[in-house]
Amino acid sequence: MPQTHLPPVVTIDGPSGAGKGTVTRAVVRALGWHFLDSGALYRLTALYCHRQGVSPDDADQAAALAAVLPAAFRLEDGAERVLLDGSDVTAELRSEAIGALASRVAALEPVRGALLERQRDFRQAPGLVADGRDMGTVVFPEAPVKIFLTATVEERARRRYNQLKGEGADVSLASLTEEIAERDRRDASRTTAPLKPAPDAVHLDTTDVAAADVIEQVLAQVREKLE
Ligand code: C5P
């Protein structure tokens, strides 16, 4: 089928803490489109490896698990729920430990290959908003609207710190800053699908910008490119 007959896609890429989750969910609500949280697929793969006793550095075994990931996404009373093998793993997936393991499995080329079609299957009418690192470069290179969100490492660490504190976690801002910087380095330096903006992406720096303004700028891009 020619690409033009496929439902439209808005890609929202960028490093951890740049505001992708907040912006993507708001854009999904405003447009009434489908949502792909690609990071959740890497986190699920990491958790599945952990549960099955597979090393997050064993490319072939991790890819074999990624290919058969028994995952499901549900919306219950407006809340997103992620299931692995039928059990609710939503909270566990968000932990720093799983985030760090996810960034290791995400560096393995066979794992990325195993998840590629699964991500493209989310492209359904009336449209898809896809959040990740390589949505605009690798998974949906022909997407009509591509956004690349950034913010300083310090600001991203501060946001994560406030979020975790709000959840009652005992965390230090200094160690979060170091972890985020380390994750950035790994995501940007890997050979397969490194974190980098697509040449045709619109860059938005969210450091000193209210979330509502960023969301409005993304929706303005959608109107400009798709109406
Ligand atoms: O976005 P989130 O923090 O949930 O992603 C977890 C990890 O998965 C990231 O640090 C990154 O290494 C990896 N990832 C990726 N490509 C994507 C989405 C996430 O490599 N499209």
PDB file of all heavy atoms in Angstrom, residues 87-117:
ATOM      1  N   SER A  87       0.193 -10.185  34.049  1.00  0.00           N
ATOM      2  CA  SER A  87       0.239  -9.470  35.332  1.00  0.00           C
ATOM      3  C   SER A  87       0.584  -7.996  35.117  1.00  0.00           C
ATOM      4  O   SER A  87       1.330  -7.644  34.198  1.00  0.00           O
ATOM      5  CB  SER A  87       1.206 -10.141  36.309  1.00  0.00           C
ATOM      6  OG  SER A  87       2.516  -9.956  35.886  1.00  0.00           O
ATOM      7  N   ASP A  88       0.038  -7.157  35.986  1.00  0.00           N
ATOM      8  CA  ASP A  88       0.192  -5.708  35.853  1.00  0.00           C
ATOM      9  C   ASP A  88       1.611  -5.297  36.282  1.00  0.00           C
ATOM     10  O   ASP A  88       1.982  -5.455  37.446  1.00  0.00           O
ATOM     11  CB  ASP A  88      -0.864  -5.022  36.743  1.00  0.00           C
ATOM     12  CG  ASP A  88      -0.906  -3.526  36.498  1.00  0.00           C
ATOM     13  OD1 ASP A  88       0.120  -2.946  36.100  1.00  0.00           O
ATOM     14  OD2 ASP A  88      -1.974  -2.931  36.712  1.00  0.00           O
ATOM     15  N   VAL A  89       2.400  -4.763  35.346  1.00  0.00           N
ATOM     16  CA  VAL A  89       3.792  -4.384  35.652  1.00  0.00           C
ATOM     17  C   VAL A  89       3.993  -2.879  35.488  1.00  0.00           C
ATOM     18  O   VAL A  89       5.126  -2.410  35.400  1.00  0.00           O
ATOM     19  CB  VAL A  89       4.792  -5.157  34.749  1.00  0.00           C
ATOM     20  CG1 VAL A  89       4.782  -6.640  35.074  1.00  0.00           C
ATOM     21  CG2 VAL A  89       4.500  -4.929  33.263  1.00  0.00           C
ATOM     22  N   THR A  90       2.895  -2.122  35.459  1.00  0.00           N
ATOM     23  CA  THR A  90       2.963  -0.674  35.180  1.00  0.00           C
ATOM     24  C   THR A  90       3.971   0.038  36.095  1.00  0.00           C
ATOM     25  O   THR A  90       4.832   0.785  35.613  1.00  0.00           O
ATOM     26  CB  THR A  90       1.572  -0.033  35.355  1.00  0.00           C
ATOM     27  OG1 THR A  90       0.597  -0.877  34.745  1.00  0.00           O
ATOM     28  CG2 THR A  90       1.514   1.346  34.723  1.00  0.00           C
ATOM     29  N   ALA A  91       3.868  -0.193  37.411  1.00  0.00           N
ATOM     30  CA  ALA A  91       4.740   0.522  38.351  1.00  0.00           C
ATOM     31  C   ALA A  91       6.178   0.031  38.230  1.00  0.00           C
ATOM     32  O   ALA A  91       7.125   0.837  38.179  1.00  0.00           O
ATOM     33  CB  ALA A  91       4.216   0.326  39.770  1.00  0.00           C
ATOM     34  N   GLU A  92       6.340  -1.278  38.135  1.00  0.00           N
ATOM     35  CA  GLU A  92       7.687  -1.863  38.062  1.00  0.00           C
ATOM     36  C   GLU A  92       8.449  -1.344  36.838  1.00  0.00           C
ATOM     37  O   GLU A  92       9.644  -1.086  36.892  1.00  0.00           O
ATOM     38  CB  GLU A  92       7.531  -3.384  38.000  1.00  0.00           C
ATOM     39  CG  GLU A  92       8.771  -4.135  38.365  1.00  0.00           C
ATOM     40  CD  GLU A  92       8.513  -5.648  38.384  1.00  0.00           C
ATOM     41  OE1 GLU A  92       7.336  -6.076  38.262  1.00  0.00           O
ATOM     42  OE2 GLU A  92       9.508  -6.382  38.514  1.00  0.00           O
ATOM     43  N   LEU A  93       7.732  -1.169  35.742  1.00  0.00           N
ATOM     44  CA  LEU A  93       8.375  -0.714  34.499  1.00  0.00           C
ATOM     45  C   LEU A  93       9.010   0.656  34.648  1.00  0.00           C
ATOM     46  O   LEU A  93       9.987   0.966  33.976  1.00  0.00           O
ATOM     47  CB  LEU A  93       7.333  -0.602  33.378  1.00  0.00           C
ATOM     48  CG  LEU A  93       6.956  -1.824  32.576  1.00  0.00           C
ATOM     49  CD1 LEU A  93       6.213  -1.394  31.335  1.00  0.00           C
ATOM     50  CD2 LEU A  93       8.155  -2.676  32.221  1.00  0.00           C
ATOM     51  N   ARG A  94       8.428   1.516  35.482  1.00  0.00           N
ATOM     52  CA  ARG A  94       8.902   2.901  35.592  1.00  0.00           C
ATOM     53  C   ARG A  94      10.142   3.028  36.472  1.00  0.00           C
ATOM     54  O   ARG A  94      10.702   4.110  36.590  1.00  0.00           O
ATOM     55  CB  ARG A  94       7.803   3.831  36.158  1.00  0.00           C
ATOM     56  CG  ARG A  94       6.523   3.959  35.379  1.00  0.00           C
ATOM     57  CD  ARG A  94       6.668   4.086  33.874  1.00  0.00           C
ATOM     58  NE  ARG A  94       7.571   5.122  33.406  1.00  0.00           N
ATOM     59  CZ  ARG A  94       7.998   5.248  32.145  1.00  0.00           C
ATOM     60  NH1 ARG A  94       7.604   4.391  31.214  1.00  0.00           N
ATOM     61  NH2 ARG A  94       8.814   6.204  31.812  1.00  0.00           N
ATOM     62  N   SER A  95      10.593   1.952  37.128  1.00  0.00           N
ATOM     63  CA  SER A  95      11.722   2.071  38.070  1.00  0.00           C
ATOM     64  C   SER A  95      13.010   2.430  37.335  1.00  0.00           C
ATOM     65  O   SER A  95      13.175   2.127  36.143  1.00  0.00           O
ATOM     66  CB  SER A  95      11.904   0.764  38.842  1.00  0.00           C
ATOM     67  OG  SER A  95      12.459  -0.210  37.984  1.00  0.00           O
ATOM     68  N   GLU A  96      13.928   3.086  38.063  1.00  0.00           N
ATOM     69  CA  GLU A  96      15.220   3.462  37.479  1.00  0.00           C
ATOM     70  C   GLU A  96      15.998   2.210  37.064  1.00  0.00           C
ATOM     71  O   GLU A  96      16.695   2.205  36.061  1.00  0.00           O
ATOM     72  CB  GLU A  96      16.052   4.262  38.489  1.00  0.00           C
ATOM     73  CG  GLU A  96      15.515   5.650  38.773  1.00  0.00           C
ATOM     74  CD  GLU A  96      15.383   6.513  37.520  1.00  0.00           C
ATOM     75  OE1 GLU A  96      16.367   6.647  36.771  1.00  0.00           O
ATOM     76  OE2 GLU A  96      14.296   7.045  37.277  1.00  0.00           O
ATOM     77  N   ALA A  97      15.867   1.138  37.865  1.00  0.00           N
ATOM     78  CA  ALA A  97      16.619  -0.094  37.568  1.00  0.00           C
ATOM     79  C   ALA A  97      16.196  -0.655  36.215  1.00  0.00           C
ATOM     80  O   ALA A  97      17.038  -1.024  35.383  1.00  0.00           O
ATOM     81  CB  ALA A  97      16.366  -1.121  38.670  1.00  0.00           C
ATOM     82  N   ILE A  98      14.883  -0.673  35.947  1.00  0.00           N
ATOM     83  CA  ILE A  98      14.411  -1.203  34.660  1.00  0.00           C
ATOM     84  C   ILE A  98      14.779  -0.234  33.526  1.00  0.00           C
ATOM     85  O   ILE A  98      15.128  -0.652  32.426  1.00  0.00           O
ATOM     86  CB  ILE A  98      12.890  -1.497  34.717  1.00  0.00           C
ATOM     87  CG1 ILE A  98      12.611  -2.673  35.658  1.00  0.00           C
ATOM     88  CG2 ILE A  98      12.314  -1.783  33.328  1.00  0.00           C
ATOM     89  CD1 ILE A  98      13.250  -4.006  35.235  1.00  0.00           C
ATOM     90  N   GLY A  99      14.753   1.078  33.812  1.00  0.00           N
ATOM     91  CA  GLY A  99      15.169   2.061  32.799  1.00  0.00           C
ATOM     92  C   GLY A  99      16.617   1.835  32.370  1.00  0.00           C
ATOM     93  O   GLY A  99      16.945   1.875  31.180  1.00  0.00           O
ATOM     94  N   ALA A 100      17.467   1.554  33.349  1.00  0.00           N
ATOM     95  CA  ALA A 100      18.885   1.337  33.037  1.00  0.00           C
ATOM     96  C   ALA A 100      19.058   0.038  32.245  1.00  0.00           C
ATOM     97  O   ALA A 100      19.810  -0.014  31.264  1.00  0.00           O
ATOM     98  CB  ALA A 100      19.692   1.295  34.329  1.00  0.00           C
ATOM     99  N   LEU A 101      18.321  -1.021  32.637  1.00  0.00           N
ATOM    100  CA  LEU A 101      18.405  -2.298  31.890  1.00  0.00           C
ATOM    101  C   LEU A 101      17.850  -2.116  30.477  1.00  0.00           C
ATOM    102  O   LEU A 101      18.381  -2.672  29.510  1.00  0.00           O
ATOM    103  CB  LEU A 101      17.569  -3.376  32.587  1.00  0.00           C
ATOM    104  CG  LEU A 101      18.160  -4.102  33.782  1.00  0.00           C
ATOM    105  CD1 LEU A 101      17.189  -5.193  34.239  1.00  0.00           C
ATOM    106  CD2 LEU A 101      19.503  -4.721  33.426  1.00  0.00           C
ATOM    107  N   ALA A 102      16.782  -1.303  30.371  1.00  0.00           N
ATOM    108  CA  ALA A 102      16.162  -1.070  29.053  1.00  0.00           C
ATOM    109  C   ALA A 102      17.165  -0.414  28.109  1.00  0.00           C
ATOM    110  O   ALA A 102      17.254  -0.762  26.929  1.00  0.00           O
ATOM    111  CB  ALA A 102      14.926  -0.187  29.198  1.00  0.00           C
ATOM    112  N   SER A 103      17.951   0.511  28.643  1.00  0.00           N
ATOM    113  CA  SER A 103      18.885   1.197  27.757  1.00  0.00           C
ATOM    114  C   SER A 103      19.987   0.243  27.302  1.00  0.00           C
ATOM    115  O   SER A 103      20.554   0.400  26.218  1.00  0.00           O
ATOM    116  CB  SER A 103      19.350   2.492  28.424  1.00  0.00           C
ATOM    117  OG  SER A 103      20.698   2.603  28.526  1.00  0.00           O
ATOM    118  N   ARG A 104      20.257  -0.813  28.105  1.00  0.00           N
ATOM    119  CA  ARG A 104      21.244  -1.821  27.661  1.00  0.00           C
ATOM    120  C   ARG A 104      20.658  -2.729  26.580  1.00  0.00           C
ATOM    121  O   ARG A 104      21.284  -2.958  25.547  1.00  0.00           O
ATOM    122  CB  ARG A 104      21.726  -2.652  28.850  1.00  0.00           C
ATOM    123  CG  ARG A 104      22.839  -1.916  29.585  1.00  0.00           C
ATOM    124  CD  ARG A 104      23.090  -2.494  30.944  1.00  0.00           C
ATOM    125  NE  ARG A 104      23.642  -3.838  30.919  1.00  0.00           N
ATOM    126  CZ  ARG A 104      23.813  -4.573  32.020  1.00  0.00           C
ATOM    127  NH1 ARG A 104      23.467  -4.093  33.194  1.00  0.00           N
ATOM    128  NH2 ARG A 104      24.332  -5.781  31.934  1.00  0.00           N
ATOM    129  N   VAL A 105      19.424  -3.226  26.786  1.00  0.00           N
ATOM    130  CA  VAL A 105      18.863  -4.105  25.739  1.00  0.00           C
ATOM    131  C   VAL A 105      18.587  -3.311  24.460  1.00  0.00           C
ATOM    132  O   VAL A 105      18.671  -3.839  23.359  1.00  0.00           O
ATOM    133  CB  VAL A 105      17.578  -4.878  26.159  1.00  0.00           C
ATOM    134  CG1 VAL A 105      17.834  -5.849  27.272  1.00  0.00           C
ATOM    135  CG2 VAL A 105      16.419  -3.988  26.466  1.00  0.00           C
ATOM    136  N   ALA A 106      18.292  -1.996  24.633  1.00  0.00           N
ATOM    137  CA  ALA A 106      17.977  -1.167  23.463  1.00  0.00           C
ATOM    138  C   ALA A 106      19.199  -0.938  22.575  1.00  0.00           C
ATOM    139  O   ALA A 106      19.066  -0.527  21.428  1.00  0.00           O
ATOM    140  CB  ALA A 106      17.408   0.176  23.915  1.00  0.00           C
ATOM    141  N   ALA A 107      20.400  -1.188  23.132  1.00  0.00           N
ATOM    142  CA  ALA A 107      21.622  -1.003  22.335  1.00  0.00           C
ATOM    143  C   ALA A 107      21.886  -2.219  21.433  1.00  0.00           C
ATOM    144  O   ALA A 107      22.783  -2.184  20.597  1.00  0.00           O
ATOM    145  CB  ALA A 107      22.808  -0.764  23.257  1.00  0.00           C
ATOM    146  N   LEU A 108      21.100  -3.305  21.616  1.00  0.00           N
ATOM    147  CA  LEU A 108      21.339  -4.537  20.853  1.00  0.00           C
ATOM    148  C   LEU A 108      20.533  -4.508  19.555  1.00  0.00           C
ATOM    149  O   LEU A 108      19.307  -4.455  19.578  1.00  0.00           O
ATOM    150  CB  LEU A 108      20.919  -5.750  21.687  1.00  0.00           C
ATOM    151  CG  LEU A 108      21.571  -5.852  23.080  1.00  0.00           C
ATOM    152  CD1 LEU A 108      20.930  -6.985  23.883  1.00  0.00           C
ATOM    153  CD2 LEU A 108      23.073  -6.070  22.944  1.00  0.00           C
ATOM    154  N   GLU A 109      21.258  -4.574  18.444  1.00  0.00           N
ATOM    155  CA  GLU A 109      20.607  -4.465  17.130  1.00  0.00           C
ATOM    156  C   GLU A 109      19.500  -5.511  16.936  1.00  0.00           C
ATOM    157  O   GLU A 109      18.397  -5.171  16.484  1.00  0.00           O
ATOM    158  CB  GLU A 109      21.699  -4.585  16.058  1.00  0.00           C
ATOM    159  CG  GLU A 109      21.419  -3.820  14.808  1.00  0.00           C
ATOM    160  CD  GLU A 109      20.688  -4.679  13.819  1.00  0.00           C
ATOM    161  OE1 GLU A 109      21.137  -5.831  13.643  1.00  0.00           O
ATOM    162  OE2 GLU A 109      19.690  -4.221  13.239  1.00  0.00           O
ATOM    163  N   PRO A 110      19.745  -6.806  17.293  1.00  0.00           N
ATOM    164  CA  PRO A 110      18.682  -7.802  17.088  1.00  0.00           C
ATOM    165  C   PRO A 110      17.415  -7.498  17.884  1.00  0.00           C
ATOM    166  O   PRO A 110      16.310  -7.814  17.436  1.00  0.00           O
ATOM    167  CB  PRO A 110      19.335  -9.111  17.560  1.00  0.00           C
ATOM    168  CG  PRO A 110      20.812  -8.873  17.462  1.00  0.00           C
ATOM    169  CD  PRO A 110      21.007  -7.419  17.769  1.00  0.00           C
ATOM    170  N   VAL A 111      17.565  -6.882  19.044  1.00  0.00           N
ATOM    171  CA  VAL A 111      16.379  -6.521  19.846  1.00  0.00           C
ATOM    172  C   VAL A 111      15.595  -5.443  19.112  1.00  0.00           C
ATOM    173  O   VAL A 111      14.360  -5.511  18.985  1.00  0.00           O
ATOM    174  CB  VAL A 111      16.790  -6.049  21.259  1.00  0.00           C
ATOM    175  CG1 VAL A 111      15.608  -5.418  21.987  1.00  0.00           C
ATOM    176  CG2 VAL A 111      17.362  -7.212  22.068  1.00  0.00           C
ATOM    177  N   ARG A 112      16.297  -4.446  18.584  1.00  0.00           N
ATOM    178  CA  ARG A 112      15.605  -3.353  17.877  1.00  0.00           C
ATOM    179  C   ARG A 112      14.874  -3.911  16.652  1.00  0.00           C
ATOM    180  O   ARG A 112      13.742  -3.540  16.364  1.00  0.00           O
ATOM    181  CB  ARG A 112      16.580  -2.244  17.472  1.00  0.00           C
ATOM    182  CG  ARG A 112      17.365  -1.661  18.648  1.00  0.00           C
ATOM    183  CD  ARG A 112      17.976  -0.316  18.332  1.00  0.00           C
ATOM    184  NE  ARG A 112      16.970   0.724  18.323  1.00  0.00           N
ATOM    185  CZ  ARG A 112      16.557   1.400  19.391  1.00  0.00           C
ATOM    186  NH1 ARG A 112      17.081   1.168  20.571  1.00  0.00           N
ATOM    187  NH2 ARG A 112      15.628   2.317  19.286  1.00  0.00           N
ATOM    188  N   GLY A 113      15.539  -4.843  15.962  1.00  0.00           N
ATOM    189  CA  GLY A 113      14.911  -5.458  14.783  1.00  0.00           C
ATOM    190  C   GLY A 113      13.653  -6.222  15.178  1.00  0.00           C
ATOM    191  O   GLY A 113      12.624  -6.150  14.502  1.00  0.00           O
ATOM    192  N   ALA A 114      13.740  -6.945  16.304  1.00  0.00           N
ATOM    193  CA  ALA A 114      12.605  -7.768  16.743  1.00  0.00           C
ATOM    194  C   ALA A 114      11.403  -6.900  17.110  1.00  0.00           C
ATOM    195  O   ALA A 114      10.258  -7.344  17.019  1.00  0.00           O
ATOM    196  CB  ALA A 114      13.020  -8.625  17.942  1.00  0.00           C
ATOM    197  N   LEU A 115      11.647  -5.650  17.525  1.00  0.00           N
ATOM    198  CA  LEU A 115      10.533  -4.786  17.954  1.00  0.00           C
ATOM    199  C   LEU A 115      10.005  -3.873  16.846  1.00  0.00           C
ATOM    200  O   LEU A 115       8.995  -3.192  17.021  1.00  0.00           O
ATOM    201  CB  LEU A 115      10.957  -3.924  19.153  1.00  0.00           C
ATOM    202  CG  LEU A 115      11.206  -4.685  20.465  1.00  0.00           C
ATOM    203  CD1 LEU A 115      11.710  -3.728  21.543  1.00  0.00           C
ATOM    204  CD2 LEU A 115       9.926  -5.384  20.951  1.00  0.00           C
ATOM    205  N   LEU A 116      10.686  -3.874  15.678  1.00  0.00           N
ATOM    206  CA  LEU A 116      10.349  -2.901  14.636  1.00  0.00           C
ATOM    207  C   LEU A 116       8.912  -3.033  14.109  1.00  0.00           C
ATOM    208  O   LEU A 116       8.139  -2.075  14.130  1.00  0.00           O
ATOM    209  CB  LEU A 116      11.363  -3.027  13.488  1.00  0.00           C
ATOM    210  CG  LEU A 116      11.402  -1.893  12.490  1.00  0.00           C
ATOM    211  CD1 LEU A 116      11.663  -0.561  13.181  1.00  0.00           C
ATOM    212  CD2 LEU A 116      12.495  -2.147  11.457  1.00  0.00           C
ATOM    213  N   GLU A 117       8.547  -4.243  13.674  1.00  0.00           N
ATOM    214  CA  GLU A 117       7.200  -4.416  13.101  1.00  0.00           C
ATOM    215  C   GLU A 117       6.113  -4.216  14.141  1.00  0.00           C
ATOM    216  O   GLU A 117       5.050  -3.679  13.854  1.00  0.00           O
ATOM    217  CB  GLU A 117       7.060  -5.792  12.444  1.00  0.00           C
ATOM    218  CG  GLU A 117       7.713  -5.879  11.074  1.00  0.00           C
ATOM    219  CD  GLU A 117       7.380  -4.691  10.160  1.00  0.00           C
ATOM    220  OE1 GLU A 117       6.193  -4.333  10.040  1.00  0.00           O
ATOM    221  OE2 GLU A 117       8.321  -4.103   9.588  1.00  0.00           O
TER     222      GLU A 117
END
